Structure formats: structure tokens, C-alpha cells
Amino acid sequence: QVQLVESGGGLVQPGDSLKLFCSASEALYDMGWFRQAPGKQRELVGYIRWRDGTTTYADSVKGRFKVSRDIAGRMVYLQMNRLTSEDTAVYYCSARARDSTWNTWGQGTQVTVSS
């Protein structure tokens, strides 16, 4: 089974930037980031196709967030810019095999945006 470990979360002010890190024991077809805010369901933030590096994002973060990867190091990153209070959530790294579902998850890292 794939093991995922997130890090990089913290407390930041509105307008700030933050970068999250995901260390993977194995890289699957797609590697992505989800988040879950208080009282809300978990939602997809963005993901990257490992083979060619193409990315997909939720409309709410498009233009502000960027998913990237380090192939050799099996790392997945989430660069978050111009953060707002609505970005406050626990962020999870996830993975899915081709023709499969997002069924492997890290423990999550807390991101709090507050003044």
C-alpha cells in the first residue's frame, strides 16, 4: 500500500503564501491534494498526472494554487498563494491508480489563515 506523509501546514495571514509537502512511498498515476474545512465535506483541490506533469484544479483555487512534483524524490507539492480565510482546512495528500479512485490518504496537515 502507498504511504503518504504531509507537512508544511501552519498559521498564516490573509494574502500570504504557504507550501505543502507530500512524501510518497510510491507514486501512482495521479497524485493530488484534498482539503476539508470545518463543517464541510472533503473536496479536491488539485492533482497532477505523474506521467507527464499535467495538472487539474478546482475553480476556487485556479490561478492561486499550483501542484508540482519531484519525480526522483517521490514528492508532491502544493504551492498556495494569496490565501484567504476560506482556505482554512486540513489538507490531505492522496493518490489514485489509473482507472481507480482516490483511496489512499496521508494524515493531513492543518492550514489556518487568520489575521
Side-chain angles (χ1 to χ4, degrees):
Q1 184 187 7
V2 178
Q3 294 183 179
L4 306 171
V5 180
E6 305 97 332
S7 63
L11 174 64
V12 297
Q13 295 183 314
D16 282 355
S17 296
L18 195 65
K19 188 171 185 175
L20 305 183
F21 304 78
C22 173
S23 178
S25 64
E26 179 184 357
L28 299 187
Y29 189 71
D30 288 329
M31 303 293 290
W33 289 92
F34 288 71
R35 68 185 181 187
Q36 187 164 23
K40 299 177 66 176
Q41 287 192 287
R42 187 174 300 185
E43 65 175 353
L44 175 68
V45 175
Y47 67 91
I48 187 166
R49 187 136 295 165
W50 200 257
R51 182 184 67 84
D52 60 11
T54 57
T55 52
T56 302
Y57 301 96
D59 288 342
S60 60
V61 306
K62 196 172 298 181
R64 296 191 299 122
F65 290 12
K66 183 177 181 179
V67 180
S68 60
R69 75 199 195 285
D70 180 326
I71 298 175
R74 299 189 305 277
M75 296 290 294
V76 186
Y77 308 104
L78 180 65
Q79 178 65 51
M80 304 181 291
N81 300 318
R82 301 187 301 281
L83 287 160
T84 77
S85 61
E86 295 184 18
D87 296 315
T88 295
V90 177
Y91 284 72
Y92 299 89
C93 186
S94 188
R96 70 174 176 183
R98 187 177 182 179
D99 297 324
S100 188
T101 59
W102 299 99
N103 57 16
T104 62
W105 307 88
Q107 289 295 116
T109 186
Q110 176 71 48
V111 173
T112 302
V113 185
S114 177
S115 59

